[in-house]
Amino acid sequence: MTTTCPSGQHADHDVYAAQCPCRALLDLLANKWSALVIGALEDGPQRFGELQRRLQGVSPKVLTQTLRRLEDFGILDRTVYPAVPLHVEYALTPLGHSAAVPLNALRSWVEDNIDQTLRPEPAAP
């Protein structure tokens, strides 16, 4: 579905068009770590360490990059509380909550259907 582009960069939004700015957002949301961060934040604001423990296997560097990109796109807010040490929390914005809906459905679909995608190894002759 295409809509008029308010940025004026082109006539309409079309993720299939090479120059459409929609592609950067699609790339962000299609990223595994972005989808998992958004899912983890559906339960409410969390600190970096909480997110890292929840998202098993993510490195601090990748988590930091993912959080920054999600913040840049307005998907999440980063709040710094003046304390010693600093207390930083990440929370979904209204836009992030709206992105969480289809991503939640995708994560559920993956969990429900993973067994159908795994094919057994052929028996040895």
Side-chain angles (χ1 to χ4, degrees), residues 25-36 62 66 69 103:
L25 182 56
L26 179 63
D27 179 58
L28 174 65
L29 295 177
N31 176 277
K32 166 182 68 177
W33 294 119
S34 293
L36 293 174
V62 169
T66 301
R69 286 190 69 208
L103 291 174

Side-chain angles (χ1 to χ4, degrees), residues 52-89:
Q52 191 174 18
R53 282 188 294 280
R54 176 93 187 266
L55 307 176
Q56 297 176 14
V58 69
S59 71
K61 178 182 176 182
V62 169
L63 181 55
T64 298
Q65 290 171 339
T66 301
L67 291 168
R68 285 182 182 157
R69 286 190 69 208
L70 289 167
E71 184 181 13
D72 289 345
F73 275 86
I75 304 294
L76 63 80
D77 282 327
R78 178 180 182 266
T79 304
V80 179
Y81 296 94
V84 179
L86 284 179
H87 176 115
V88 179
E89 284 187 348

Side-chain angles (χ1 to χ4, degrees), residues 1-122:
M1 180 174 129
T2 61
T3 58
T4 302
C5 179
S7 69
Q9 294 178 352
H10 52 273
D12 52 58
H13 290 305
D14 179 358
V15 295
Y16 296 101
Q19 298 304 316
C20 185
C22 296
R23 287 220 180 156
L25 182 56
L26 179 63
D27 179 58
L28 174 65
L29 295 177
N31 176 277
K32 166 182 68 177
W33 294 119
S34 293
L36 293 174
V37 165
I38 291 168
L41 291 174
E42 281 184 281
D43 296 335
Q46 293 188 41
R47 295 174 75 170
F48 186 91
E50 293 171 307
L51 285 169
Q52 191 174 18
R53 282 188 294 280
R54 176 93 187 266
L55 307 176
Q56 297 176 14
V58 69
S59 71
K61 178 182 176 182
V62 169
L63 181 55
T64 298
Q65 290 171 339
T66 301
L67 291 168
R68 285 182 182 157
R69 286 190 69 208
L70 289 167
E71 184 181 13
D72 289 345
F73 275 86
I75 304 294
L76 63 80
D77 282 327
R78 178 180 182 266
T79 304
V80 179
Y81 296 94
V84 179
L86 284 179
H87 176 115
V88 179
E89 284 187 348
Y90 299 91
L92 292 177
T93 62
L95 184 63
H97 281 288
S98 70
V101 174
L103 291 174
N104 188 337
L106 178 60
R107 288 188 308 273
S108 294
W109 182 90
V110 167
E111 290 174 346
D112 292 344
N113 292 283
I114 186 63
D115 292 336
Q116 295 179 48
T117 66
L118 302 174
R119 292 197 165 77
E121 293 291 321

